[in-house]
Amino acid sequence: MINLRILCATLILLSLAACDDKAAQPAATATAPQQDLPANDAQTLQGIEQMKAKLQMNPNDFETLSILADMYFESSLYVEAFQTYDKALAINPMC
């Protein structure tokens, strides 16, 4: 049986990927702590930290939330991705 949470996260990812409001992922420049997570490299962790810092300035930035959610998903951090996609959809439910 398919895990419902992974299925929902995948569907949300696909719907956000089709959204026109989404900007290209910026290059990572911030320094992030190293973590033992599957499929993570230093650049992805730095990008996650950069997006989190950007959200501190504007927590309702749809583009930044969707980029961060994608980064979490690509890093196999599905719970964080799902929660971040929910925040993005609350801001822009049409995407």
Side-chain angles (χ1 to χ4, degrees), residues 16-83:
L16 285 175
C19 185
D20 293 334
D21 293 339
K22 201 166 141 186
Q25 180 177 338
T29 57
T31 303
Q34 296 297 321
Q35 300 176 14
D36 295 327
L37 300 171
N40 281 338
D41 59 10
Q43 186 176 13
T44 301
L45 291 174
Q46 288 174 350
I48 288 172
E49 291 303 315
Q50 183 181 9
M51 292 298 105
K52 287 167 57 175
K54 189 173 178 183
L55 281 173
Q56 288 179 345
M57 292 183 283
N58 183 5
N60 294 323
D61 183 354
F62 173 79
E63 291 179 24
T64 303
L65 282 167
S66 63
I67 291 169
L68 179 60
D70 290 345
M71 291 174 146
Y72 281 142
F73 189 84
E74 291 168 3
S75 299
S76 300
L77 298 170
Y78 301 116
V79 173
E80 291 86 348
F82 190 75
Q83 292 169 347

Side-chain angles (χ1 to χ4, degrees), residues 1-11:
M1 185 167 184
I2 297 176
N3 186 333
L4 184 59
R5 181 170 247 162
I6 292 174
L7 179 61
C8 289
T10 303
L11 291 173

